[in-house]
Amino acid sequence: MTYAIALNFEDGVTRFIDCKVGEKVLDAAFRQRINLPMDCSDGVCGTCKCHCETGAYDLGDDYIEDALSEDEAGERQVLTCQMVPQSDCVIAVPVPSSACKTGTAQFSATVAGITRHADAAVQVSFELDQVPVFLPGQYVNIGVPGSAQTRSYSFSSRPGASRASFLIKHVPGGLMSGWLERAQPGEAVTMTGPLGSFYLREVVRPLLLLAGGTGLAPFLSMLEVLAERGESRPIQLIYGVTRDQDLVMVEALEAFAQRLPGFGFVTCVADPQTAHPQQGYVTQHMASDVLHDGDVDVYLCGPPPMVDAVRQYFKAQGVSPASFHYEKFTPNAIATGDAA
Ligand code: FES
């Protein structure tokens, strides 16, 4: 038996390693050719200090206070030379991946299926040369065939699924959109990743998920994982789009509502001419009870103005969510962040 340990480096690169039962993280990383920061490997110097974001572990008592104080241990700081995982874990490593002689993994993939949603979005699935390992919410860079450029897309499928799926916004004249119009099953692409700090943390309180357009994709991956785990805490998704035809994958959300007892969702359309019952932006359809007086973890994936609008909305409501994780995307780039 082994545990899956995600090492999230400062530059956004994530590498997964297997850790045997009873094995220390530092040893497991070296075994898999990832040179995590270290010096003494004996719990004395503190060089290997990282932050364990999720998962259970044992630190033992073979380290000294100078290397890791009681307060630091209470904040889930860990010494990887001492840490023995007792479950799958996510560890934030405070150096770039290149400093650990590692980097992004590369996958070869072939198109398995394409579903086009009018001029709004394309759902595309790929067969990969290896089972995709990532944290739900993360993205990869996909090379656009026939060019030297890449585009970043969040997985909409769950980690470990035999096929990796993506929900890609149709951009008129866009490089990837142009290729997707012509793409056929069997065509090859390369992917690098997984990347990004926008991923599902341990669920310890209600969740509020805010999706703008194809920013729905990472939430489809998260909801799949939550449904498989049998999560029962309240989860509210507010999914806003610009035009009626941009509202896609609603049937997938209805299916999640059947599988997840605490899950509900609201859709809204910004176009003033819409016939949709909820006209407006996500902030206009955020009932006060979904904020749980701040006892809520918020995840947002959408265009930059949406992140700013939601921040201002929380401020105006006098609500400070327990955590606020966001991913802003533009047609060519993704940026992730966290705010307390
Ligand atoms: S390497 Fe020195 S405390 Fe871990």
Side-chain angles (χ1 to χ4, degrees), residues 26 36-49 63-64 67-68 78-82:
L26 188 70
L36 288 178
M38 60 83 73
D39 192 352
C40 68
S41 82
D42 224 8
V44 174
C45 68
T47 307
C48 64
K49 200 179 296 173
Y63 63 90
I64 64 169
L68 187 75
V78 294
L79 300 173
T80 58
C81 72
Q82 302 299 308

Side-chain angles (χ1 to χ4, degrees), residues 86-270:
Q86 294 176 327
S87 73
D88 294 346
C89 292
V90 178
I91 299 174
V93 183
V95 296
S97 56
S98 57
C100 300
K101 295 196 167 35
T102 187
T104 47
Q106 196 164 77
F107 316 87
S108 298
T110 52
V111 175
I114 298 180
T115 305
R116 296 182 175 88
H117 296 274
D119 69 343
V122 177
Q123 255 174 284
V124 56
S125 63
F126 294 93
E127 298 274 4
L128 270 62
D129 62 351
Q130 53 190 283
V131 175
V133 185
F134 58 92
L135 299 169
Q138 287 193 304
Y139 68 92
V140 284
N141 291 331
I142 303 180
V144 186
S147 83
Q149 296 196 41
T150 62
R151 294 290 183 267
S152 305
Y153 300 107
S154 304
F155 290 95
S156 58
S157 50
R158 67 167 174 78
S162 59
R163 286 182 175 179
S165 303
F166 302 87
L167 180 64
I168 297 179
K169 180 180 169 65
H170 176 76
V171 180
L175 197 60
M176 183 61 94
S177 292
W179 177 72
L180 282 169
E181 279 171 17
R182 306 182 299 273
Q184 296 295 326
E187 288 195 52
V189 300
T190 55
M191 299 182 187
T192 50
L195 294 155
S197 60
F198 185 75
Y199 57 84
L200 182 66
R201 300 334 199 248
E202 213 160 321
V203 181
V204 294
R205 55 176 67 83
L207 301 181
L208 175 59
L209 314 178
L210 304 173
T214 50
L216 181 67
F219 296 125
L220 296 172
S221 180
M222 292 183 190
L223 288 166
E224 190 61 49
V225 168
L226 291 165
E228 281 184 6
R229 281 187 203 158
E231 182 58 55
S232 59
R233 287 186 180 80
I235 304 167
Q236 179 71 16
L237 169 75
I238 307 178
Y239 171 29
V241 298
T242 305
R243 311 166 302 168
D244 290 339
Q245 61 266 43
D246 297 330
L247 210 50
V248 300
M249 306 286 292
V250 174
E251 64 293 344
L253 299 178
E254 284 163 355
F256 282 124
Q258 297 296 317
R259 294 169 64 196
L260 275 160
F263 176 64
F265 70 96
V266 172
T267 57
C268 56
V269 178

